[in-house]
Amino acid sequence: TPDLMPADIIGTVVLAEGAGGTKALEFRRGPLFSHLVLADEINRATPKTQSALLEAMQEHRVTVGRATHELEEPYLVLATQNPLEMEGTYPLPEAQLDRFFFKLDVPFPSRDDLHAILDRTTTEQRPEARAVVSRADVLGMQALVRRVPVAQHVQDYAIRVLQRTHPANDEATGLVKRYVRTGASPRGVQAMLLATKIRALFDGRFAASIDDVKANAAPALRHRILLSFEGEAEAVRPDTIIGEILDRLPASKA
């Protein structure tokens, strides 16, 4: 909500009374101290509160005063935002957007999806949460992903995709030069490469391919490409720009 303050999510230092009437400063943790954090409609929070997430999302730690508190692994921040309502919302800072691994577009539900939503919310059915993996399992899977090999030409393809999102690049496409103000950061190619490894594992393969890069380029880059005034005025979609880059980029470097 717009009245949410940084201390509401990070935590704050309070004066606590102990045994015998003694008083001491005590840090009381906020909701960021969890393995899985969901920021619902994050664009309703003020930029100051959104910026309070930067250290937690990047370094997985929180600094309050002179003390730094580590966040226990695994640590994951998910956020939703309503793209339709603009009243009482704030744009997310570019530095914060860049720290999100993926940006997923959720389309309007299909007829089958609406049936499933109604069955789960308007009947006696009550979903029950249950553990499906342990903390050790998640940490093990994260370590496994980083051991997936990526051939040099596949990594080079991901780099060339990233470079072509920058309008100053000599090989940038027409849409990039006309509508993009700033291309994706190096975090974009990091996200593409890690997602490429994950997709290969999901498909039962132990090496990533260029097709894996193409499949993950849009969710990894769409929130990292900043449109120019002309691009925003003409409502150009970053996915269209990324699609043109992939269509015109050869698999092998000349």
Side-chain angles (χ1 to χ4, degrees), residues 168-199:
N169 187 283
D170 293 337
E171 297 177 331
T173 65
L175 290 180
V176 171
K177 292 182 178 179
R178 181 176 179 183
Y179 295 120
V180 174
R181 173 166 55 92
T182 305
S185 73
R187 285 193 184 96
V189 73
Q190 289 175 334
M192 270 195 295
L193 210 62
L194 283 173
T196 290
K197 295 181 177 185
I198 294 169
R199 187 174 187 267

Side-chain angles (χ1 to χ4, degrees), residues 231-243:
E232 293 181 353
E234 297 192 22
V236 177
R237 298 180 69 248
D239 285 28
T240 304
I241 296 172
I242 296 168

Side-chain angles (χ1 to χ4, degrees), residues 152-166 169-174 176 189 192 209-215 217-218 221 240-254:
Q152 188 68 22
H153 74 280
V154 176
Q155 181 169 306
D156 184 70
Y157 182 84
I159 291 172
R160 287 186 288 134
V161 171
L162 179 83
Q163 290 177 327
R164 280 161 175 75
T165 65
H166 291 261
N169 187 283
D170 293 337
E171 297 177 331
T173 65
V176 171
V189 73
M192 270 195 295
S209 67
I210 287 178
D211 287 339
D212 295 324
V213 176
K214 292 180 177 180
L221 300 179
T240 304
I241 296 172
I242 296 168
E244 184 185 63
I245 293 173
L246 297 177
D247 289 341
R248 299 190 179 185
L249 182 62
S252 59
K253 186 176 181 180

Side-chain angles (χ1 to χ4, degrees), residues 5 9 27 63 70 100 137 142 250:
M5 299 298 292
I9 60 173
F27 176 66
T63 301
E70 298 293 331
F100 282 104
D137 291 335
Q142 289 179 337

Side-chain angles (χ1 to χ4, degrees), residues 37-236:
V37 178
L38 172 61
D40 191 27
E41 297 202 19
I42 192 173
N43 53 333
R44 293 197 182 280
T46 62
K48 187 174 183 179
T49 302
Q50 293 173 13
S51 296
L53 287 165
L54 296 183
E55 185 181 17
M57 294 174 67
Q58 184 63 40
E59 280 81 28
H60 293 189
R61 67 187 184 191
V62 166
T63 301
V64 179
R66 297 182 179 180
T68 298
H69 307 270
E70 298 293 331
L71 299 169
E72 190 178 8
E73 299 290 346
Y75 189 73
L76 179 66
V77 176
L78 296 91
T80 66
Q81 60 177 352
N82 190 330
L84 301 179
E85 295 184 48
M86 302 305 295
E87 188 70 26
T89 63
Y90 304 86
L92 272 64
E94 285 85 354
Q96 182 186 12
L97 285 171
D98 200 19
R99 281 163 170 77
F100 282 104
F101 187 79
F102 267 8
K103 178 182 179 182
L104 303 179
D105 284 339
V106 181
F108 192 79
S110 65
R111 181 183 297 180
D112 290 340
D113 291 335
L114 288 170
H115 275 297
I117 290 171
L118 291 175
D119 291 340
R120 294 177 184 180
T121 58
T122 64
T123 66
E124 295 180 350
Q125 180 178 336
R126 292 289 184 271
E128 294 183 6
R130 61 184 179 88
V132 292
V133 290
S134 66
R135 173 176 177 268
D137 291 335
V138 175
L139 293 175
M141 287 187 283
Q142 289 179 337
L144 175 63
V145 165
R146 293 183 177 273
R147 294 200 296 269
V148 174
V150 177
Q152 188 68 22
H153 74 280
V154 176
Q155 181 169 306
D156 184 70
Y157 182 84
I159 291 172
R160 287 186 288 134
V161 171
L162 179 83
Q163 290 177 327
R164 280 161 175 75
T165 65
H166 291 261
N169 187 283
D170 293 337
E171 297 177 331
T173 65
L175 290 180
V176 171
K177 292 182 178 179
R178 181 176 179 183
Y179 295 120
V180 174
R181 173 166 55 92
T182 305
S185 73
R187 285 193 184 96
V189 73
Q190 289 175 334
M192 270 195 295
L193 210 62
L194 283 173
T196 290
K197 295 181 177 185
I198 294 169
R199 187 174 187 267
L201 286 178
F202 280 173
D203 200 32
R205 292 177 282 107
F206 297 101
S209 67
I210 287 178
D211 287 339
D212 295 324
V213 176
K214 292 180 177 180
N216 291 293
L221 300 179
R222 62 166 60 107
H223 56 300
R224 293 182 165 97
I225 294 176
L226 305 182
L227 299 178
S228 63
F229 175 80
E230 185 178 2
E232 293 181 353
E234 297 192 22
V236 177

